[in-house]
Each structure stands twice: as C-alpha cells, then as structure tokens.
Amino acid sequence: MNTTTAGAAKPFAHAPEPTPETLPFWEGARAGELRIQRCRSCARHYFDPRPHCRHCASADTEWTRVSGRARLVSYIINHRPAPGFRDYSPVIAMVQLDEGPTLMSNIVGVEPLPENLPLDLRLEVRFEERGEAVLPVFAPAAPDTDEPNAAAVTTGSEETRQVTA
Amino acid sequence: MTTTTSTRPRGMHGGTVAVAGAAETTEIGKRPDTSVLGLHIEAARNALADAGLTPADVDGVATAGPSPIDVAHHVGVTPRWLDGTAVGGCSFLSHVRHAAAAITAGAAEVVLITHGESGRSQVGLPGRARSASSPPGQFEWPYGAIAPYMKFTVPALRFLHERGMGREDLAQVVVAQREWAAKNPRALRQDLVGVEDVLAAPMIAYPFSKDMCCPVTDGGGALILTSAERAADLRRPPVYLLGSGESAESTLVSQMSDPGSFGASRRASSEAFATAGLSQGDIDHLMIYDAFAHLPLYGLEDTGFVGHGESGAFIADGHTRPGGRLPVNTNGGGLNYTHTGMYGMFAMQEAIRQLRGEADAQVPGVRTSFVHGYGLFFSAATSLVFANERP
Ligand SMILES: [Zn+2]
C-alpha cells in the first residue's frame, strides 16, 4: 500500500526522526501498515520499539503487522495547539491496540467534542501525511467492519476539514 | 566532625542528614532581569546566608537544568561531589535523597541543591535536551503532545472515569488550594474561587480549564544539606530527612503501566514511608507536586493517604483546606503559588517553612511533612519525609 500525496504537503516541524530500532514502525506507516514488535518467546506484542521483549526480556522478537483496531483509553481536546498543529486534530489520545500495547496518537474523523469521544470508543487506524512524515492516527471504527481499514490514507488538510466541519 | 553514640539505625534515613539552609529567590514570578543561572546563584546565596555558611563550606553541588559544573563555578564552590540528575520537576527531591546517601557515605559534607528557571521570561535558557529522535520526539511530539498541558493531562479522563468522578473534582482541587494561596502574599493567584468559577474559566485542554493549569513563572530556590551533627551547630533549626524513595516508568506518557494510577508514585512513596518507619497517619502536612489539578487526586491515592476513588470527596469535604485534618499544598501549590517549570523545589521549601514554623499560612504543630514530586510528566516520582525532630 502506498501513501497518497493528495493535497499540498506543508512543512511539518515535528516530524519524527527514526532510529535504527524504530525504523520499521515508521517505514510501516509510510506503507500504510501499523507495525508493532511481537515476542516469539512469550507471544506478546510490545511498544515502544526496542531490540528485546518488554515483558520477558527475550531477544527473539519480530516486527508484525497488527490489526489497527484499538480502544480510546484517555484524551484531551487541546484548545491551545502548539505552533504548526492548527491543521491537525486537537484530540491527543492514548489508544490501546487490540494486541495490547498503548500508543499516543490523534483521533480524527470526528468532531472534537467530549460527547463524540466516550472512553473505550472503538477505533481503527488511519495514516495521515504531515509534511514529509506519515503518522498512524485513529478514527472511530465503522460499526459494521471487522477488518481494519489500513488502506485509508488521508492528508492532514483533509482530516482537518472533517474534524472542524 | 563529631561522632554520634546514638543507638538509632545507621544509614541515610532516620534523621542522620538535615536541611541546614533553605531559601527561594528574593522575588518570584516575573524576573526578566535575571538569567536561569542568575536565579540559581541568587537562590544559592540566599540559602547559604540562611544557613550561615559560605561557598567555601560547600563541597557538593546538585542541580537540574544547567550543569552542576556551571552552578559550582558561578557560586564559587570547589566540588568533590556532583549530581546532575535531571528527571524533571522532582529532580531536586531526588537530589536530596542522593545527597543524603553521599553525606552518610562520606562522599560529601555540605551539599548545595539549586533550582532556577526563567519559565515566563525565558532569559538564559540552558537548552533543550531532547531531539526529534528521542522517544517523545518520535512518539508524542508529532501528535502535538509537546508542552506540559498537552501531555501531563492526557491520562486524567481515565482516572476520573474509573472512579465515577468528573471535572468538578478537578475544580475542587483548585478551590481548596486557593484558600491556602489567599494566605500567602507571594502567591501569584490569591483570589478565592468557587467550583463554578473554575469550571467556567477558559478551556486550555479539555477537561482542564485555565485555573486547573499552573501559571508559568520565573524563580528559584536552594537547599543546604549536611549531617545532623553539623546542622546542630548552625544557626537555623535543622529539618531532618527521615525517609525517601524514587522511581520511574517511561518518558512516554502513553507507556504508563496504568493511566489511572502512577506506579512510580506508589513505589517512591512506599519506600519513603518504609525508610522513615512511619505511616500516613503519622504525617501532619503534605505537599503534592501540582502542575495540574489532577495531580493532587492521583497523589493522594497513589501515596496511600486515601483509598482508591476517595481523593475527590476527601478534598471536597475540606480535609485538605485550612483547618482540615491533612493540610495539602499550603503555599497554594504550583497551581497558585508559582510554577517555574520544575516545581519540586518550591514544594520542599514550603514543607521546610512549615516545619520551622515560619510559613505564611502556618499550620499549628507541624512535626512531619511528606513531599511528593512528579518528573517529566508521568515519568518519574520522588517522595521525601521530613521532620523537625529526630526520631
Ligand atoms: Zn516476551
């Protein structure tokens, strides 16, 4: 899966700089896949990236593509975004993947109001271009889909129109 | 140096080490006239004067922000012990713990711990330590989780949700602490407020309104630590360190082991009580680092002063206010008094004032004070138990 380049990509001041240990995560995002490390010894997924298992310290680990399904753990709705973030979702959220790990992300595809964001809301991953970067973000899951919609790639400006509509 | 013939347990806790000097910068709040390093120097000189010592008496320096080398050089100390532990706002509490170990081990005799920040005026900043390749640079900043109010606040809704609590409980924290601030002439926010006022204040980051977030100020503070024996010969009444603990989880807020309870707080406070040989019921006065209004709620529960889910009602019922049975954040807290960025030094300064009997909002009969600090949002925590008598 390739990312789209629809829309004028604005420079993004806070693009992540991958390290050798995290590069598969960011390469996955660019390919429209959410990739998380999994331990072969204890069969658990873990985050954030490192060469050995966070749970059992085994070095027998692999990068896997995960479902992209998640639930909303907690969040804020930021009314004073940092410079360069006005075009992006103000919902800064902790999301727990169905495979176990929790990530910080943004919630897109929904008007950023508390009534739209009950805790434990079911989510699915999307991929959003911010300048040269591609980030995994999350949207409320469509109730009738069991498969993750990992193919959906949107730009920040498109998301902004949805979010602020 | 005198030797003790006491039968009390040896080690860094139990009153072996004391605070012999303590002071804040002469003014706090707005200091465009002074650099970060200048605030450290001013605080250091005030604390040395308080202790009746000179830089020549100091052989150990600890700080976070600038290098302890810069602080030693500019204060005029020739160090034989240095600690640059930088784990955020609780760093200075950790410095106390580390200094007590060093003094007890003979690695230092008189330790100077300094804090200073130009949070408001941004004069002479020591530089940002993290990059876009750090864990937060990769996994938080790209999502706009950069400044404290965008990160430290994120787990709060889960805490409240798990307990059937809400924004009113955040507001009650502000209402209670403002009653203390009203008694502190140095506090930035002194006006009494009600729950509705706090809820109706401009929204910063839902669920946090402006009054639920600390101001950003300039200022500093410093402590002088030495052995209890040396402190007994100095001019101020010693404040003894009875116990301490510290721990950490991750620099990523998303990697908290439980967003509704901070594991590092539980571990740090548990060790502080154990090393002090005291329990929550023995504590007369409590300081909980409060950059935001959820932290006294987390802190009361994670340090075991109240049970799970009891923090909101405990505050709303008035137990932490003037006249309450557990006075909390009696300077008004970081929410009202001052918050330079790494607030922990100010929490300790208020505990020491209370134990010396010289606080603006003095609580009668304070003999023990528990200070709990957070660092780098929910990354690190340190707890200290102070007392004005050796056990
Ligand atoms: Zn494992």
Side-chain angles (χ1 to χ4, degrees):
Chain A
M1 175 62 215
N2 296 317
T3 58
T4 70
T5 54
K10 296 181 187 174
F12 181 53
H14 286 283
E17 287 179 11
T19 56
E21 294 81 6
T22 66
L23 188 59
F25 179 91
W26 294 113
E27 287 179 338
R30 192 162 293 284
E33 293 185 0
L34 186 59
R35 294 178 189 162
I36 297 287
Q37 282 171 298
R38 179 182 173 277
C39 174
R40 291 196 188 94
S41 291
C42 71
R44 284 183 280 185
H45 291 80
Y46 66 92
F47 183 84
D48 49 317
R50 69 199 68 184
H52 58 269
C53 174
R54 181 174 174 173
H55 306 290
C56 75
S58 167
D60 185 13
T61 67
E62 62 184 350
W63 283 93
T64 62
R65 179 181 181 178
V66 296
S67 67
R69 311 282 289 186
R71 72 179 179 102
L72 180 59
V73 173
S74 200
Y75 68 92
I76 59 164
I77 303 172
N78 188 6
H79 290 239
R80 307 234 179 141
F85 282 90
R86 292 201 179 279
D87 289 341
Y88 306 116
S89 168
V91 182
I92 299 171
M94 294 166 71
V95 303
Q96 184 177 27
L97 305 178
D98 283 3
E99 290 81 5
T102 300
L103 284 65
M104 192 75 85
S105 193
N106 293 138
I107 307 301
V108 302
V110 62
E111 196 175 353
L113 298 171
E115 52 267 39
N116 296 336
L117 295 163
L119 296 195
D120 302 315
L121 179 69
R122 295 292 299 158
L123 303 167
E124 61 189 15
V125 73
R126 306 249 188 108
F127 292 90
E128 184 168 292
E129 291 186 359
R130 298 186 180 183
E132 298 295 308
V134 179
L135 306 184
V137 295
F138 288 81
D144 55 345
T145 56
D146 291 323
E147 291 301 311
N149 187 15
V153 175
T154 60
T155 68
S157 54
E158 285 175 0
E159 285 301 331
T160 301
R161 281 195 292 275
Q162 292 180 31
V163 165
T164 58
Chain B
M1 192 168 172
T2 58
T3 54
T4 176
T5 56
S6 165
T7 57
R8 71 176 58 89
R10 293 170 186 275
M12 61 186 273
H13 295 119
T16 310
V17 172
V19 176
E24 297 177 0
T25 49
T26 306
E27 303 292 335
I28 57 173
K30 192 175 178 182
R31 296 290 305 269
D33 57 315
T34 309
S35 70
V36 168
L37 197 51
L39 293 166
H40 281 253
I41 295 165
E42 180 180 316
R45 291 179 62 85
N46 287 352
L48 285 166
D50 184 62
L53 295 173
T54 71
D57 295 308
V58 177
D59 62 355
V61 173
T63 196
S67 166
I69 302 167
D70 284 327
V71 171
H73 175 65
H74 284 89
V75 173
V77 170
T78 304
R80 69 182 178 105
W81 181 87
L82 295 158
D83 181 8
T85 300
V87 293
C90 63
S91 298
F92 315 95
L93 283 74
S94 286
H95 296 153
V96 168
R97 173 173 158 87
H98 304 171
I103 290 165
T104 309
E109 187 175 356
V110 177
V111 171
L112 167 68
I113 302 169
T114 66
H115 162 75
E117 273 179 296
S118 184
R120 178 189 170 112
S121 300
Q122 304 274 301
V123 182
L125 303 184
R128 196 166 70 177
R130 293 188 173 276
S131 73
S133 62
S134 68
Q138 292 193 58
F139 298 113
E140 289 183 342
W141 297 354
Y143 296 105
I146 300 168
Y149 70 86
M150 311 166 188
K151 279 181 73 162
F152 211 166
T153 50
V154 174
L157 277 183
R158 174 58 55 174
F159 177 99
L160 298 172
H161 176 78
E162 284 175 352
R163 291 158 175 80
M165 292 163 58
R167 293 189 70 226
E168 296 74 15
D169 294 286
L170 298 174
Q172 288 282 7
V173 172
V174 181
V175 171
Q177 294 189 190
R178 201 64 73 81
E179 292 191 18
W180 290 113
K183 298 172 180 291
N184 276 275
R186 277 164 71 89
L188 186 73
R189 296 173 176 167
Q190 297 182 26
D191 295 338
L192 294 173
V193 289
V195 169
E196 293 307 317
D197 303 321
V198 178
L199 292 174
M203 195 68 82
I204 300 294
Y206 173 86
F208 290 82
S209 70
K210 185 167 187 283
D211 286 355
M212 300 173 191
C213 303
C214 65
V216 182
T217 62
D218 307 329
L223 298 176
I224 309 290
L225 265 71
T226 189
S227 65
E229 286 72 24
R230 177 91 187 258
D233 296 333
L234 297 175
R235 60 185 288 267
R236 300 307 310 274
V239 170
Y240 301 99
L241 180 69
L242 298 194
S244 70
E246 65 186 328
S247 192
E249 286 202 341
S250 167
T251 58
L252 297 172
V253 172
S254 65
Q255 299 311 301
M256 288 178 80
S257 57
D258 176 356
S261 171
F262 187 34
S265 283
R266 297 194 308 272
R267 292 186 294 272
S269 58
S270 175
E271 184 168 345
F273 280 118
T275 51
L278 297 178
S279 63
Q280 287 81 356
D282 299 316
I283 301 299
D284 300 327
H285 173 257
L286 175 60
M287 297 297 293
I288 300 175
Y289 190 113
D290 61 323
F292 300 95
H294 60 322
L295 298 174
L297 301 173
Y298 276 85
L300 278 167
E301 296 192 16
D302 286 335
T303 60
F305 280 94
V306 303
H308 180 91
E310 296 174 359
S311 54
F314 189 78
I315 290 171
D317 290 346
H319 297 308
T320 65
R321 298 184 194 189
R325 69 175 195 248
L326 181 63
V328 177
N329 291 346
T330 51
N331 59 354
L335 288 171
N336 300 307
Y337 181 71
T338 205
H339 200 297
T340 51
M342 295 189 286
Y343 166 76
M345 174 59 77
F346 295 98
M348 291 192 291
Q349 294 286 341
E350 173 66 9
I352 291 157
R353 288 192 293 263
Q354 289 284 346
L355 288 163
R356 287 173 166 181
E358 60 189 28
D360 282 315
Q362 182 64 45
V363 176
V366 174
R367 293 162 304 164
T368 55
S369 179
F370 193 96
V371 186
H372 187 70
Y374 295 94
L376 290 172
F377 323 121
F378 281 117
S379 295
T382 311
S383 292
L384 302 175
V385 183
F386 289 113
N388 54 17
E389 296 170 9
R390 295 185 80 170

